[in-house]
Amino acid sequence: TLLFSVAKENGTLERLAKLIIYKSGGRKELIPVIFFLLSIVLASIGPGNISTSALLMPIAITIAFQTGISILLISGVVILGSIGGGLSPLAPNGIVALDLAEKAGVGSLGNYIYFNNVFAVTVFTIIMYFVLGGLKHRGEKVEVSKPEKFNRLQKYTLIGILTLVIW
């Protein structure tokens, strides 16, 4: 969690989010999808669901406000993505859940619980995306400029996160 707090403070997460949106070509209907996937990935690799939501929510809401995307939609996809990744065998909640499952005699359910959780949350997110008007932005583009390159500290932060994932 400390590493991800550093990533927020030194602007790595914000720059990463802007880079991803830039790579989407500014397509508004993809921005919630991008934040959903980013939330799942971040929550899965270490900080867990609560920290991931706390780290990404301010960035997501700012981008949603600037682009005219529903704040409720963007908040929902960040929270659901965070919940989806929260039961990863690498995340704090996942570690506790798997330990409790083994102690209860259910056995080693690691990836089974995680992937079922991701699947269920993804289905719910798709429904929410349609209900809250995610597709009404189809074909709309937001003007995006090429983000600045990652500075030296941000590159070190990305290397640290990548090391955490591989380790």
Side-chain angles (χ1 to χ4, degrees):
T1 304
L2 176 63
L3 178 61
F4 290 95
S5 295
V6 169
K8 182 176 182 343
E9 284 300 312
N10 72 13
T12 302
L13 287 179
E14 185 173 356
R15 190 153 296 159
L16 182 62
K18 287 182 177 180
L19 176 67
I20 292 169
I21 290 167
Y22 174 76
K23 294 290 185 182
S24 78
R27 295 174 49 199
K28 284 172 93 171
E29 74 269 15
L30 290 181
I31 293 173
V33 175
I34 290 167
F35 272 101
F36 175 70
L37 295 174
L38 186 59
S39 297
I40 285 179
V41 170
L42 282 179
S44 294
I45 63 174
N49 57 340
I50 296 169
S51 297
T52 297
S53 291
L55 293 168
L56 287 182
M57 194 65 76
I59 299 165
I61 288 176
T62 301
I63 289 173
F65 182 76
Q66 292 170 349
T67 59
I69 294 172
S70 165
I71 303 246
L72 184 59
L73 173 61
I74 205 79
S75 299
V77 298
V78 168
I79 291 168
L80 287 170
S82 298
I83 291 169
L87 286 180
S88 158
L90 301 175
N93 291 352
I95 292 168
V96 170
L98 296 175
D99 186 50
L100 289 174
E102 281 203 37
K103 286 180 182 174
V106 179
S108 179
L109 300 173
N111 289 332
Y112 181 76
I113 290 175
Y114 171 64
F115 287 119
N116 279 321
N117 185 48
V118 169
F119 175 76
V121 167
T122 301
V123 169
F124 188 75
T125 302
I126 290 168
I127 294 167
M128 184 187 69
Y129 181 83
F130 287 111
V131 169
L132 295 179
L135 278 183
K136 79 176 184 180
H137 297 293
R138 189 177 13 198
E140 294 179 18
K141 291 200 175 205
V142 61
E143 190 174 318
V144 290
S145 57
K146 186 171 184 171
E148 295 177 23
K149 295 185 180 216
F150 290 100
N151 65 35
R152 189 172 54 94
L153 290 176
Q154 292 167 335
K155 287 178 184 176
Y156 288 149
T157 304
L158 290 171
I159 290 168
I161 291 170
L162 185 61
T163 302
L164 176 67
V165 172
I166 294 170
W167 194 278

